[in-house]
Amino acid sequence: MPLKKSANLREKMIREGRYKQFLEATKAQELKTGSQPLFDVFDEYYLAEISLGAPGQLIDVALDTTSSNLWVLDANCVSKNCKGNAMDGTLKDTYNSSKSVTYYSDGTSFSVPYKGGFVSGVMGTEKLTMADFHWYEQDFGSATVVPDIYTQEPIDGILGLGFPGLAVPGTNTTMQRLMPMLDAPLITIWMEISDGEAREFGYATYGMFDTKECSTNILYVPLKDNSTWKFYVDAFQIGSYSRVKNEIALSATGSGWTGVPNVVLSGIVKQTKAVYDFTNGIYTVPCSTNQPDIMLAINGVPYTIRSRNYVIDINLKNGQCALAFFGTTSQDPAWILGDAFVRSYCHVLDYGNARIGFAQSRHDY
């Protein structure tokens, strides 16, 4: 039987126009760890830059442990003021699918909750680049309808760090695609207070523990279940006020403020002598005052949150700073531990062992 010569795999992929994509994917697989800077905006928002599509479109997203999907603002959004305002720093970078050669969508719609409202739009797949990793056919939502509060925030979308159970059914999360590429299936989140400057004040480190910014003494805490970054808080103290109660807490890396039970908020207000600002709907204290440290017990271990991490300067008038807390009424979770806690203790999101670790930030000693 005569032998027939056939093209090798390289020739075949070149002919079909797939060889460049193959080389990029091979290079990406060689990267086992990586880090991504987080840009701090007034100590309320820590944003990571990602790229969607080919050619890439740059989008600033909040890395969020309370959700699992990736969604970005669509260039054709229809909500009022959805693209923000350049005058107040909320102008958005939007995603335009017509400018990308790697976009695909079958028209499936999505709707996910976001701060008292819903974000809605169309699901699709796209090339995603983050922290020098990149891959194709990442599921994401292109949002055309967003709640009013979103228009007031300097973010272009959300990249969820949560587990698959919280995702839109039938989709693969960013973490499901990223974790197999890494040396270890974990992420370290480090944040630092910026005192009003807008520049790099945090890092997300993928595939390894961040020994540069975080103490090597990591205390791991078991999760409430294997579907969320929830765990239990045992006790709380500030000044002479204390509360001992086992309650559910949720890590919230995308929240600049910390949610506490209403009775705890009352205790904080009393101990800090905070005054309610009816115009802005927040509690304030003079920026110049020294406020007491907070003690939070988790899994029997005390964690200290210094006032520099919970009193933030958001450019209020008359030398006032915001007390970065809000009251909660839910029992699950009762505590939403936002950036005040993250700035105090690096968060180690250990997907492989379904646990969360805390290590004191070297900048908070």
Side-chain angles (χ1 to χ4, degrees):
M1 179 182 294
L3 299 177
K4 295 182 179 180
K5 182 178 180 181
S6 62
N8 62 32
L9 180 60
R10 179 185 299 176
E11 292 173 352
K12 185 173 184 295
M13 286 192 292
I14 291 174
R15 186 171 63 251
E16 295 175 351
R18 296 187 294 117
Y19 190 57
K20 180 180 178 181
Q21 181 174 331
F22 168 77
L23 290 177
E24 291 178 343
T26 300
K27 181 180 179 182
Q29 291 295 334
E30 295 173 355
L31 297 170
K32 300 298 184 181
T33 63
S35 64
Q36 184 171 31
L38 304 179
F39 296 87
D40 178 10
V41 183
F42 296 117
D43 301 323
E44 284 194 273
Y45 305 95
Y46 290 79
L47 308 180
E49 185 180 79
I50 64 171
S51 172
L52 273 179
Q57 300 175 45
L58 299 181
I59 306 287
D60 289 335
V61 296
L63 302 182
D64 178 31
T65 45
T66 70
S67 64
S68 298
N69 287 107
L70 167 63
W71 63 264
V72 299
L73 185 65
D74 191 271
N76 298 310
C77 64
V78 296
S79 298
K80 183 179 179 181
N81 299 324
C82 60
K83 296 182 182 180
N85 189 323
M87 298 299 293
D88 62 10
T90 60
L91 186 66
K92 316 293 186 185
D93 288 320
T94 60
Y95 168 78
N96 190 335
S97 62
S98 66
K99 294 183 178 181
S100 174
V101 300
T102 48
Y103 175 75
Y104 171 78
S105 176
D106 63 5
T108 300
S109 62
F110 80 96
S111 183
V112 295
Y114 181 82
K115 293 186 178 180
F118 283 86
V119 171
S120 304
V122 177
M123 293 299 300
T125 64
E126 187 56 285
K127 177 185 177 182
L128 172 63
T129 301
M130 53 184 289
D132 293 327
F133 295 96
H134 68 264
W135 57 91
Y136 293 82
E137 299 181 351
Q138 172 61 55
D139 291 317
F140 79 107
S142 190
T144 54
V145 177
V146 294
D148 287 342
I149 192 171
Y150 170 79
T151 67
Q152 304 164 26
E153 300 176 328
I155 64 173
D156 308 324
I158 298 289
L159 195 158
L161 302 179
F163 292 90
L166 295 178
V168 172
T171 64
N172 287 314
T173 70
T174 307
M175 295 300 101
Q176 284 177 289
R177 298 295 304 276
L178 177 62
M179 288 300 124
M181 302 180 190
L182 304 177
D183 275 350
L186 60 82
I187 299 174
T188 307
I189 303 292
W190 165 74
M191 296 176 181
E192 168 65 326
I193 201 161
S194 69
D195 294 325
E197 299 179 60
R199 61 183 180 88
E200 294 178 17
F201 273 94
Y203 276 95
T205 302
Y206 303 102
M208 63 180 292
F209 177 66
D210 183 351
T211 56
K212 178 182 177 182
E213 308 295 353
C214 312
S215 164
T216 55
N217 181 28
I218 311 171
L219 297 176
Y220 285 101
V221 175
L223 299 179
K224 173 180 176 288
D225 52 55
N226 292 340
S227 62
T228 62
W229 295 110
K230 292 178 181 177
F231 46 93
Y232 289 93
V233 165
D234 307 324
F236 173 90
Q237 182 175 352
I238 180 171
S240 62
Y241 173 81
S242 64
R243 172 182 170 89
V244 178
K245 188 174 182 180
N246 190 250
E247 295 177 295
I248 299 170
L250 174 63
S251 167
T253 55
S255 175
W257 293 50
T258 295
V260 301
N262 278 322
V263 63
V264 174
L265 180 60
S266 296
I268 295 172
V269 169
K270 183 176 181 180
Q271 293 299 313
T272 58
K273 296 181 174 58
V275 175
Y276 192 71
D277 179 339
F278 287 91
T279 300
N280 296 299
I282 59 176
Y283 284 99
T284 65
V285 295
C287 298
S288 59
T289 58
N290 293 320
Q291 298 296 340
D293 292 344
I294 285 173
M295 187 284 294
L296 196 66
I298 300 171
N299 206 33
V301 177
Y303 294 85
T304 300
I305 302 174
R306 304 186 192 285
S307 63
R308 68 188 293 268
N309 286 318
Y310 71 78
V311 176
I312 59 175
D313 187 350
I314 56 174
N315 286 341
L316 298 173
K317 297 179 180 179
N318 302 319
Q320 295 296 298
C321 280
L323 201 64
F325 293 100
F326 62 92
T328 65
T329 57
S330 171
Q331 297 300 308
D332 187 6
W335 298 75
I336 300 172
L337 297 181
D339 295 346
F341 186 52
V342 184
R343 285 192 289 262
S344 304
Y345 294 90
C346 298
H347 281 36
V348 184
L349 308 176
D350 188 344
Y351 293 85
N353 295 298
R355 60 182 182 173
I356 189 168
F358 305 120
Q360 189 169 18
S361 168
R362 294 190 184 278
H363 298 255
D364 201 56
Y365 283 0

